Amino acid sequence: GINEKGSGREKETSTAKKVDKFRISFLLDENRITASGVKNIFVIITTPNGKVVVEDELGSGKFYTRDNDEKTYTKRIDVNYEQGQSQWVTFDWRHNSKYLTGDYKIEVYNKNC
């Protein structure tokens, strides 16, 4: 969690009432088979009470896995992937309600896996 100070400075925090946004980072492993280009990455954020964070106006939606299971995602990120290279992906997530105390679950899907 990130707390934004009035001066614009940011500070990591684990206190729910001080969190202004989440900063989510993950590494896409290198893949020599996948062609370069824009890839859709789907991120699912689940709250401590087990509910997926969904805010349509902030980019939430649905996708189907290769097993034809429907999943609701919190955010879709378009990543310009370079074949054979690992790549860090980082984005900030700010939603319109208060953050709950507890552990959040983050799931990342690529190519409907």
Side-chain angles (χ1 to χ4, degrees), residues 29-31 34-37 39 79-87:
D29 285 338
E30 70 177 65
N31 185 326
T34 300
S36 296
K39 306 296 179 200
V79 176
N80 193 12
Y81 180 74
E82 191 67 37
Q83 183 181 32
Q85 306 220 352
S86 59
Q87 178 176 345

Side-chain angles (χ1 to χ4, degrees), residues 4 18-19 29 43 54 76 83 91 100 113:
E4 294 177 322
K18 292 183 178 181
V19 172
D29 285 338
V43 178
V54 176
R76 184 183 93 185
Q83 183 181 32
F91 72 97
L100 301 174
C113 297

Side-chain angles (χ1 to χ4, degrees), residues 44-56:
I44 300 172
I45 301 172
T46 305
T47 63
N49 63 7
K51 295 182 180 178
V52 173
V53 176
V54 176
E55 296 189 24
D56 295 330

Side-chain angles (χ1 to χ4, degrees), residues 13-111:
T13 183
S14 59
T15 306
K17 67 181 180 181
K18 292 183 178 181
V19 172
D20 294 310
K21 63 185 175 184
F22 284 147
R23 178 153 300 140
I24 299 169
S25 297
F26 53 91
L27 180 66
L28 290 178
D29 285 338
E30 70 177 65
N31 185 326
R32 294 186 180 139
I33 297 170
T34 300
S36 296
V38 176
K39 306 296 179 200
N40 298 324
I41 306 292
F42 299 96
V43 178
I44 300 172
I45 301 172
T46 305
T47 63
N49 63 7
K51 295 182 180 178
V52 173
V53 176
V54 176
E55 296 189 24
D56 295 330
E57 65 277 4
L58 297 176
S60 297
K62 296 182 186 237
F63 72 97
Y64 289 91
T65 65
R66 70 173 77 166
D67 297 329
N68 211 28
D69 292 332
E70 184 179 67
K71 294 267 191 187
T72 301
Y73 64 87
T74 305
K75 178 82 173 158
R76 184 183 93 185
I77 303 162
D78 297 327
V79 176
N80 193 12
Y81 180 74
E82 191 67 37
Q83 183 181 32
Q85 306 220 352
S86 59
Q87 178 176 345
W88 277 102
V89 177
T90 300
F91 72 97
D92 291 341
W93 173 259
R94 178 189 314 267
H95 70 105
N96 295 328
S97 56
K98 294 187 180 213
Y99 292 92
L100 301 174
T101 299
D103 293 329
Y104 284 75
K105 179 180 173 183
I106 309 292
E107 297 174 83
V108 178
Y109 291 83
N110 177 20
K111 288 188 72 171

